[in-house]
PDB file of all heavy atoms in Angstrom:
ATOM      1  N   GLU A 247     -28.523  17.278  11.620  1.00  0.00           N
ATOM      2  CA  GLU A 247     -29.679  16.811  10.855  1.00  0.00           C
ATOM      3  C   GLU A 247     -30.988  17.237  11.536  1.00  0.00           C
ATOM      4  O   GLU A 247     -32.028  16.680  11.324  1.00  0.00           O
ATOM      5  CB  GLU A 247     -29.700  15.233  10.902  1.00  0.00           C
ATOM      6  CG  GLU A 247     -28.490  14.691  10.208  1.00  0.00           C
ATOM      7  CD  GLU A 247     -28.582  13.176  10.124  1.00  0.00           C
ATOM      8  OE1 GLU A 247     -29.695  12.615   9.839  1.00  0.00           O
ATOM      9  OE2 GLU A 247     -27.583  12.448  10.350  1.00  0.00           O
ATOM     10  N   ARG A 248     -30.974  18.306  12.327  1.00  0.00           N
ATOM     11  CA  ARG A 248     -32.159  18.852  12.932  1.00  0.00           C
ATOM     12  C   ARG A 248     -32.355  20.345  12.362  1.00  0.00           C
ATOM     13  O   ARG A 248     -31.446  21.111  12.331  1.00  0.00           O
ATOM     14  CB  ARG A 248     -32.011  18.937  14.463  1.00  0.00           C
ATOM     15  CG  ARG A 248     -31.687  17.567  15.052  1.00  0.00           C
ATOM     16  CD  ARG A 248     -31.404  17.591  16.512  1.00  0.00           C
ATOM     17  NE  ARG A 248     -32.541  18.143  17.221  1.00  0.00           N
ATOM     18  CZ  ARG A 248     -32.557  18.133  18.606  1.00  0.00           C
ATOM     19  NH1 ARG A 248     -31.552  17.771  19.317  1.00  0.00           N
ATOM     20  NH2 ARG A 248     -33.666  18.636  19.232  1.00  0.00           N
ATOM     21  N   PRO A 489     -39.026  16.317  15.621  1.00  0.00           N
ATOM     22  CA  PRO A 489     -39.345  14.936  15.927  1.00  0.00           C
ATOM     23  C   PRO A 489     -38.235  14.183  16.691  1.00  0.00           C
ATOM     24  O   PRO A 489     -38.230  13.007  16.784  1.00  0.00           O
ATOM     25  CB  PRO A 489     -39.477  14.328  14.515  1.00  0.00           C
ATOM     26  CG  PRO A 489     -38.458  15.038  13.741  1.00  0.00           C
ATOM     27  CD  PRO A 489     -38.401  16.527  14.258  1.00  0.00           C
ATOM     28  N   ASN A 490     -37.359  14.993  17.366  1.00  0.00           N
ATOM     29  CA  ASN A 490     -36.285  14.366  18.127  1.00  0.00           C
ATOM     30  C   ASN A 490     -36.543  14.493  19.644  1.00  0.00           C
ATOM     31  O   ASN A 490     -37.257  15.330  20.126  1.00  0.00           O
ATOM     32  CB  ASN A 490     -34.944  15.065  17.790  1.00  0.00           C
ATOM     33  CG  ASN A 490     -34.734  15.120  16.332  1.00  0.00           C
ATOM     34  OD1 ASN A 490     -34.501  14.102  15.681  1.00  0.00           O
ATOM     35  ND2 ASN A 490     -34.587  16.288  15.722  1.00  0.00           N
ATOM     36  N   ALA A 491     -35.939  13.562  20.346  1.00  0.00           N
ATOM     37  CA  ALA A 491     -36.088  13.545  21.812  1.00  0.00           C
ATOM     38  C   ALA A 491     -34.913  12.762  22.369  1.00  0.00           C
ATOM     39  O   ALA A 491     -34.365  11.764  21.765  1.00  0.00           O
ATOM     40  CB  ALA A 491     -37.434  12.963  22.279  1.00  0.00           C
ATOM     41  N   ILE A 523     -41.161   2.884  18.417  1.00  0.00           N
ATOM     42  CA  ILE A 523     -41.287   4.349  17.989  1.00  0.00           C
ATOM     43  C   ILE A 523     -40.010   4.703  17.192  1.00  0.00           C
ATOM     44  O   ILE A 523     -39.682   5.917  17.077  1.00  0.00           O
ATOM     45  CB  ILE A 523     -41.428   5.251  19.214  1.00  0.00           C
ATOM     46  CG1 ILE A 523     -40.318   5.073  20.243  1.00  0.00           C
ATOM     47  CG2 ILE A 523     -42.809   4.987  19.804  1.00  0.00           C
ATOM     48  CD1 ILE A 523     -40.413   6.054  21.374  1.00  0.00           C
ATOM     49  N   ARG A 524     -39.306   3.821  16.648  1.00  0.00           N
ATOM     50  CA  ARG A 524     -38.135   4.001  15.848  1.00  0.00           C
ATOM     51  C   ARG A 524     -37.005   4.733  16.589  1.00  0.00           C
ATOM     52  O   ARG A 524     -36.366   5.680  16.041  1.00  0.00           O
ATOM     53  CB  ARG A 524     -38.532   4.721  14.590  1.00  0.00           C
ATOM     54  CG  ARG A 524     -39.386   3.899  13.710  1.00  0.00           C
ATOM     55  CD  ARG A 524     -40.010   4.797  12.502  1.00  0.00           C
ATOM     56  NE  ARG A 524     -40.997   5.649  12.995  1.00  0.00           N
ATOM     57  CZ  ARG A 524     -40.793   6.956  13.101  1.00  0.00           C
ATOM     58  NH1 ARG A 524     -39.645   7.486  12.651  1.00  0.00           N
ATOM     59  NH2 ARG A 524     -41.782   7.752  13.494  1.00  0.00           N
ATOM     60  N   GLY A 525     -36.873   4.416  17.876  1.00  0.00           N
ATOM     61  CA  GLY A 525     -35.800   5.080  18.679  1.00  0.00           C
ATOM     62  C   GLY A 525     -34.805   4.043  19.051  1.00  0.00           C
ATOM     63  O   GLY A 525     -34.771   2.842  18.535  1.00  0.00           O
ATOM     64  N   ARG A 526     -33.807   4.437  19.818  1.00  0.00           N
ATOM     65  CA  ARG A 526     -32.653   3.633  20.283  1.00  0.00           C
ATOM     66  C   ARG A 526     -32.663   3.632  21.766  1.00  0.00           C
ATOM     67  O   ARG A 526     -32.639   4.672  22.421  1.00  0.00           O
ATOM     68  CB  ARG A 526     -31.385   4.111  19.671  1.00  0.00           C
ATOM     69  CG  ARG A 526     -31.374   4.232  18.192  1.00  0.00           C
ATOM     70  CD  ARG A 526     -29.985   4.564  17.685  1.00  0.00           C
ATOM     71  NE  ARG A 526     -29.370   5.751  18.262  1.00  0.00           N
ATOM     72  CZ  ARG A 526     -29.648   7.008  17.858  1.00  0.00           C
ATOM     73  NH1 ARG A 526     -30.518   7.199  16.968  1.00  0.00           N
ATOM     74  NH2 ARG A 526     -29.118   8.013  18.483  1.00  0.00           N
ATOM     75  N   VAL A 542     -33.289   7.501  22.621  1.00  0.00           N
ATOM     76  CA  VAL A 542     -32.985   8.608  21.768  1.00  0.00           C
ATOM     77  C   VAL A 542     -33.919   8.481  20.542  1.00  0.00           C
ATOM     78  O   VAL A 542     -34.038   7.402  19.925  1.00  0.00           O
ATOM     79  CB  VAL A 542     -31.544   8.584  21.280  1.00  0.00           C
ATOM     80  CG1 VAL A 542     -31.208   9.717  20.281  1.00  0.00           C
ATOM     81  CG2 VAL A 542     -30.593   8.624  22.456  1.00  0.00           C
ATOM     82  N   LEU A 543     -34.611   9.550  20.157  1.00  0.00           N
ATOM     83  CA  LEU A 543     -35.380   9.599  18.981  1.00  0.00           C
ATOM     84  C   LEU A 543     -34.615  10.700  18.066  1.00  0.00           C
ATOM     85  O   LEU A 543     -34.243  11.683  18.539  1.00  0.00           O
ATOM     86  CB  LEU A 543     -36.778  10.179  19.235  1.00  0.00           C
ATOM     87  CG  LEU A 543     -37.814   9.254  19.787  1.00  0.00           C
ATOM     88  CD1 LEU A 543     -39.125   9.949  19.863  1.00  0.00           C
ATOM     89  CD2 LEU A 543     -37.933   7.979  18.969  1.00  0.00           C
ATOM     90  N   GLY A 544     -34.399  10.265  16.781  1.00  0.00           N
ATOM     91  CA  GLY A 544     -33.761  11.213  15.949  1.00  0.00           C
ATOM     92  C   GLY A 544     -32.220  10.874  15.872  1.00  0.00           C
ATOM     93  O   GLY A 544     -31.738   9.878  16.356  1.00  0.00           O
ATOM     94  N   PRO A 545     -31.502  11.710  15.131  1.00  0.00           N
ATOM     95  CA  PRO A 545     -30.111  11.405  14.844  1.00  0.00           C
ATOM     96  C   PRO A 545     -29.172  11.682  16.074  1.00  0.00           C
ATOM     97  O   PRO A 545     -27.994  11.304  15.942  1.00  0.00           O
ATOM     98  CB  PRO A 545     -29.792  12.429  13.718  1.00  0.00           C
ATOM     99  CG  PRO A 545     -30.751  13.478  13.867  1.00  0.00           C
ATOM    100  CD  PRO A 545     -32.009  12.920  14.427  1.00  0.00           C
ATOM    101  N   SER A 546     -29.599  12.449  17.058  1.00  0.00           N
ATOM    102  CA  SER A 546     -28.651  12.837  18.106  1.00  0.00           C
ATOM    103  C   SER A 546     -28.430  11.593  18.995  1.00  0.00           C
ATOM    104  O   SER A 546     -29.175  10.592  18.988  1.00  0.00           O
ATOM    105  CB  SER A 546     -29.294  13.962  18.933  1.00  0.00           C
ATOM    106  OG  SER A 546     -30.545  13.562  19.505  1.00  0.00           O
ATOM    107  N   GLY A 547     -27.378  11.816  19.807  1.00  0.00           N
ATOM    108  CA  GLY A 547     -27.071  10.651  20.768  1.00  0.00           C
ATOM    109  C   GLY A 547     -25.953   9.754  20.305  1.00  0.00           C
ATOM    110  O   GLY A 547     -25.380   9.887  19.254  1.00  0.00           O
ATOM    111  N   ARG A 549     -24.108   6.402  19.069  1.00  0.00           N
ATOM    112  CA  ARG A 549     -24.473   5.401  17.971  1.00  0.00           C
ATOM    113  C   ARG A 549     -24.300   3.998  18.453  1.00  0.00           C
ATOM    114  O   ARG A 549     -24.842   3.074  17.812  1.00  0.00           O
ATOM    115  CB  ARG A 549     -23.547   5.643  16.809  1.00  0.00           C
ATOM    116  CG  ARG A 549     -23.739   6.932  16.097  1.00  0.00           C
ATOM    117  CD  ARG A 549     -25.147   7.056  15.539  1.00  0.00           C
ATOM    118  NE  ARG A 549     -25.434   8.295  14.912  1.00  0.00           N
ATOM    119  CZ  ARG A 549     -26.494   8.620  14.315  1.00  0.00           C
ATOM    120  NH1 ARG A 549     -27.555   7.787  14.368  1.00  0.00           N
ATOM    121  NH2 ARG A 549     -26.720   9.870  13.792  1.00  0.00           N
TER     122      ARG A 549
END
Side-chain angles (χ1 to χ4, degrees):
E247 297 185 44
R248 301 175 64 176
N490 305 300
I523 56 176
R524 294 170 290 108
R526 304 188 305 280
V542 180
L543 283 182
S546 61
R549 293 296 178 181

